[in-house]
């Protein structure tokens, strides 16, 4: 998937070296794209479940000092909007 062409604000490759974040972001975007194509209850549940996991991944990286609090908040806020779209 070419995420840059999909217009996402936070591209997984921008977070290389931050434990788990690139993979988690990529999986979130894939689930989001799947949900947009097929608006089913299962796809919605999968997206929401992954969003919860990603929320805590971002929070952990913030606490560990890999993300500053302002950036972590902005990333979470942006992704929450997508998850609740």
């Amino acid at each position: 998937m070419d995420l840059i062409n999909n217009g996402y604000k936070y591209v997984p490759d921008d977070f290389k070296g931050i434990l788990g974040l690139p993979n988690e972001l990529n999986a979130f975007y894939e689930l989001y794209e799947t949900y947009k194509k097929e608006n089913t209850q299962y796809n919605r549940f999968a997206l929401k479940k992954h969003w919860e996991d990603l929320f805590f991944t971002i929070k952990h990286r913030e606490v560990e000092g890999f993300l500053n609090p302002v950036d972590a908040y902005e990333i979470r806020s942006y992704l929450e909007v997508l998850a609740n779209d």
Side-chain angles (χ1 to χ4, degrees), residues 9-10 15 21 25 28-29 51-64 67-84:
K9 185 173 180 179
Y10 300 101
F15 299 97
L21 195 51
L25 274 173
F28 176 83
Y29 291 139
W51 159 239
E52 291 172 7
D53 294 343
L54 181 54
F55 176 92
F56 288 108
T57 297
I58 294 167
K59 190 66 173 168
H60 289 154
R61 299 304 88 88
E62 175 187 356
V63 169
E64 295 166 346
L67 294 170
N68 74 54
V70 173
D71 289 341
Y73 173 79
E74 289 176 0
I75 294 166
R76 284 192 308 267
S77 296
Y78 172 76
L79 297 173
E80 185 173 22
V81 167
L82 293 179
N84 292 308

